[in-house]
Amino acid sequence: MIDQDFELNTESYNDRLSYRRPISWDANWDSARSGFRVSAGSLTMTRFYFVEDIKIDPISTNDLSIAFEQSRVEDPTEIEEARELRLGIRFIDQLRVLVLGDGSVNKEYGDIGVGARMFETKDQHLDFIYWSVDHYYNDKTHEPRATYLQPARTYELRGWRKIFSDSVSGSVKIESDQPFSWLRPESGIYSYWRNKVSGTLNLGSTADQFYFLTVENDEKFESWSSLEGLNQMRFKRRATFVELGKSWKPYSVDQAFRMSVFGVNRLSTWAYPEDEKTIKKRSLAVPPSSSDRKESGIDVRSESLLSPRSKFSQGVVANNVTILEGARRWRNLEVKYVTAVNWNFTPEAGFGLNATWDIDQITRDFPYKQAPFRPWGGGNIQAQMVF
């Protein structure tokens, strides 16, 4: 299925940021070698936002290491899932050879990879990885006459480094899915490529007080055409997210604060075959051919102790949204007050409930004669365990 960004609502990014995990949970996750965390929340009355991460990473200083990582993100327009089982063998100091595997219930989509981890210490590493995406596909496919017209390959560079104890640290990840084409005689020809870049930089005197900069850029292209080439669908998207902020604990370990400003730029273009356009024109919503979405905003949070095993988080997330879709242009200000209670069964494991309150909706509906009082802005549930 080709993505359709016009199905995003104006509050999508506001909701995503509102559902961020507690400050202390993020700190525990970053410092842990292994863990599991999950979050599920509402984007609209009928749609959810789901995030899941798993990491099992034994001490990498052993000559032989085995690790597992999985990430899954679902929203109304896309499902992203990545997993890898990684075997590492140290041959010389600061050089580890990696063998990787990734798969699913269908062998047609299994991947294998090789790589090298360089400059490896407890404070840094740099990985170079090559994925051969199902290189036996053409020999084992169960779909008659289906074949890759171009091979599917992925290259990755990822690294992390801590400098001067906790005062300076950073990470980077570059992932490039090379262009490929997939011929499926029963349905047509599918083509795809994608490039993703992300990085973080932390500056601070201690782990309890630091400034951070996060940059993410994601470019994706998809197309489908019938075998005779008469009908075609195309989609291209570039999404950029930048955030600058500060995290600190000014009084004690029982309190924490985080404040940031951010910007979002999401530009998408797509095209449909003539017959599909005709069908869609019969509905009330005719999809445009492009969507240009720009946002800026702030995110302010605090966390305090309620009891020896529970914490209360609160804050405000505000997004100033400008969207241009075809000939339609509109602006919106989304403001949510965030409240959450988290129960930590142990220092390493906990469960949380988050409720958000629609400040902009309450303001627009006042004095509640034309519309009812609607304070509820959404909510999500969260769980995390590290070890």
Side-chain angles (χ1 to χ4, degrees):
M1 179 179 177
I2 304 297
D3 286 348
Q4 298 177 342
D5 270 13
F6 65 87
E7 293 192 8
L8 283 172
N9 62 23
T10 59
E11 294 195 38
S12 289
Y13 278 97
N14 186 272
D15 285 323
R16 294 185 190 196
L17 295 175
S18 299
Y19 299 156
R20 281 178 161 174
R21 299 172 183 88
I23 301 171
S24 58
W25 281 16
D26 279 342
N28 289 344
W29 179 266
D30 292 339
S31 62
R33 304 293 299 186
S34 304
F36 166 78
R37 60 184 184 181
V38 63
S39 173
S42 61
L43 290 178
T44 67
M45 293 295 293
T46 59
R47 293 176 176 174
F48 278 92
Y49 178 58
F50 183 87
V51 181
E52 177 188 60
D53 294 300
I54 302 172
K55 63 177 182 178
I56 303 174
D57 189 8
I59 300 173
S60 60
T61 53
N62 294 336
D63 291 337
L64 179 66
S65 63
I66 299 176
F68 175 79
E69 292 184 77
Q70 177 173 300
S71 175
R72 182 181 173 198
V73 179
E74 296 186 23
D75 67 19
T77 64
E78 187 177 40
I79 297 176
E80 291 186 77
E81 187 170 22
R83 69 175 70 86
E84 70 177 50
L85 179 62
R86 184 170 66 246
L87 172 66
I89 304 173
R90 186 196 301 277
F91 280 91
I92 61 176
D93 288 343
Q94 297 192 1
L95 174 61
R96 183 183 300 273
V97 175
L98 306 174
V99 180
L100 307 99
D102 176 21
S104 68
V105 294
N106 296 315
K107 286 188 176 181
E108 283 81 0
Y109 312 107
D111 308 337
I112 62 172
V114 294
R117 172 166 290 187
M118 305 176 63
F119 316 117
E120 180 187 64
T121 68
K122 65 182 182 64
D123 291 330
Q124 67 180 16
H125 67 260
L126 182 65
D127 295 348
F128 296 91
I129 295 172
Y130 165 78
W131 287 98
S132 177
V133 182
D134 194 13
H135 64 312
Y136 291 124
Y137 173 82
N138 292 333
D139 297 326
K140 66 187 180 182
T141 177
H142 68 255
E143 196 172 335
R145 297 183 296 118
T147 183
Y148 283 152
L149 300 179
Q150 292 176 279
R153 304 182 304 272
T154 297
Y155 298 94
E156 285 189 56
L157 182 149
R158 56 196 186 196
W160 171 82
R161 187 175 185 185
K162 182 186 293 185
I163 308 172
F164 306 130
S165 184
D166 292 321
S167 60
V168 183
S169 64
S171 64
V172 64
K173 183 176 182 180
I174 302 173
E175 182 177 354
S176 178
D177 295 335
Q178 297 298 294
F180 82 94
S181 295
W182 185 12
L183 170 62
R184 304 178 68 184
E186 301 299 326
S187 57
I189 299 174
Y190 175 79
S191 299
Y192 166 90
W193 60 259
R194 189 169 194 170
N195 296 314
K196 300 176 71 174
V197 179
S198 61
T200 61
L201 179 64
N202 297 325
L203 303 173
S205 56
T206 68
D208 292 338
Q209 180 169 305
F210 60 91
Y211 295 91
F212 60 88
L213 172 65
T214 300
V215 179
E216 300 174 359
N217 188 71
D218 182 4
E219 293 187 75
K220 179 180 180 179
F221 172 82
E222 289 182 289
S223 72
W224 170 87
S225 65
S226 59
L227 295 180
E228 68 277 6
L230 298 178
N231 292 325
Q232 293 185 351
M233 299 174 65
R234 295 188 307 276
F235 172 82
K236 187 175 182 180
R237 179 186 67 216
R238 184 182 71 246
T240 305
F241 176 81
V242 179
E243 183 177 28
L244 176 64
K246 179 182 180 181
S247 179
W248 73 100
K249 296 180 180 179
Y251 304 115
S252 68
V253 295
D254 296 336
Q255 288 186 311
F257 295 86
R258 182 174 60 205
M259 179 175 64
S260 66
V261 294
F262 59 85
V264 177
N265 186 13
R266 189 180 181 104
L267 175 62
S268 305
T269 58
W270 53 90
Y272 298 96
E274 290 301 321
D275 56 347
E276 184 167 338
K277 279 187 178 181
T278 302
I279 293 173
K280 287 185 176 291
K281 285 181 180 178
R282 298 173 186 169
S283 66
L284 294 177
V286 179
S289 60
S290 65
S291 173
D292 189 1
R293 180 187 185 114
K294 293 181 172 62
E295 300 187 35
S296 59
I298 60 171
D299 185 346
V300 181
R301 308 289 179 97
S302 70
E303 184 180 76
S304 57
L305 199 65
L306 281 178
S307 71
R309 291 194 175 184
S310 63
K311 290 187 176 181
F312 175 71
S313 301
Q314 62 178 329
V316 174
V317 180
N319 292 49
N320 185 25
V321 188
T322 302
I323 299 178
L324 176 63
E325 287 188 351
R328 184 186 178 201
R329 178 187 176 92
W330 75 96
R331 298 184 63 180
N332 206 6
L333 178 64
E334 311 289 352
V335 183
K336 281 191 173 67
Y337 175 55
V338 182
T339 59
V341 178
N342 308 291
W343 296 270
N344 296 316
F345 310 124
T346 71
E348 295 79 25
F351 172 80
L353 291 175
N354 182 357
T356 65
W357 310 96
D358 235 334
I359 303 302
D360 57 288
Q361 190 72 57
I362 295 173
T363 304
R364 283 196 300 268
D365 291 343
F366 184 82
Y368 316 117
K369 294 180 180 179
Q370 302 295 326
F373 181 59
R374 296 176 289 179
W376 173 250
N380 77 327
I381 56 176
Q382 303 173 345
Q384 176 169 299
M385 178 176 64
V386 297
F387 50 93

